[in-house]
Amino acid sequence: MLAIRNAAINDIPVILDFIRRLAEYEREPDAVVATEEDLKRDGFGREPKYRCVIAEWNNAPAGFAFYFYVYSTWMGRPGLYLEDLFVLPEMRGQGIGRALLKHLAQIAVQENCYGMRWQVLNWNEPSIRFYESLGATMLKDWETMRLMGPALVKLAGGPD
């Protein structure tokens, strides 16, 4: 009933649809500007910037996990960074999210990663409880910083 496989280039429309549905769930439906071409360029070229696995239930896409590798200078090893995890609302409660995370944990162990990291919105109590039930811990002392747009260009030495 459940199968998890690496995404292929022909999955790009499904991946983008999952990204958009996740943005809706996270109350940011207009925030997605990624295109199919962006996903193709950055995930399926000579040097992929991300990886993605698709969960299928009865041969139909049910969810996905979108990830990439980071490096810990303190650990001296890579880590797996989970950018997005999404399961269709009608498919939740079937163990698909847990199966996707288990699959990523297996990849992390095979790749000698120090662990896995991801972010969760502070209002998303069901997800926080789910992640904690798996043994994940919240990094309470760390805050996420983001630099983008004109501020990024300015720092890079571009026009003010």
Side-chain angles (χ1 to χ4, degrees):
M1 290 171 75
L2 176 64
I4 298 175
R5 61 174 176 77
N6 291 329
I9 198 164
N10 62 337
D11 291 311
I12 289 174
V14 170
I15 294 168
L16 187 55
D17 181 57
F18 284 157
I19 291 168
R20 289 180 177 142
R21 289 174 180 238
L22 177 60
E24 288 176 19
Y25 175 78
E26 292 183 346
R27 305 174 187 165
E28 298 259 4
D30 299 323
V32 177
V33 297
T35 66
E36 289 185 15
E37 188 56 38
D38 295 331
L39 296 175
K40 179 180 177 183
R41 177 193 64 233
D42 295 333
F44 296 93
R46 284 189 8 204
E47 295 183 34
K49 307 292 188 258
Y50 72 85
R51 308 251 191 296
C52 184
V53 294
I54 305 285
E56 293 180 332
W57 188 269
N58 291 331
N59 297 315
F64 83 133
F66 193 102
Y67 68 99
F68 54 88
Y69 295 97
V70 295
Y71 195 83
S72 171
T73 57
W74 290 10
M75 300 281 189
R77 293 170 41 195
L80 190 150
Y81 188 87
L82 174 61
E83 177 68 19
D84 287 336
L85 176 71
F86 179 77
V87 175
L88 292 170
E90 64 271 19
M91 299 304 300
R92 293 180 188 153
Q94 307 289 334
I96 296 169
R98 181 182 189 85
L100 283 163
L101 287 170
K102 179 179 179 178
H103 186 84
L104 294 187
Q106 291 169 341
I107 291 170
V109 168
Q110 290 169 354
E111 295 291 327
N112 193 34
C113 293
Y114 69 83
M116 294 171 41
R117 284 181 171 237
W118 61 92
Q119 293 180 315
V120 60
L121 291 164
N122 61 4
W123 56 260
N124 193 346
E125 287 295 326
S127 292
I128 292 169
R129 285 192 305 275
F130 170 62
Y131 297 143
E132 288 176 342
S133 78
L134 299 175
T137 56
M138 186 85 65
L139 298 177
K140 304 255 185 223
D141 295 334
W142 293 86
E143 295 289 338
T144 301
M145 301 295 295
R146 180 167 72 179
L147 182 67
M148 57 188 283
L152 176 64
V153 172
K154 181 178 180 182
L155 181 61
D160 291 341

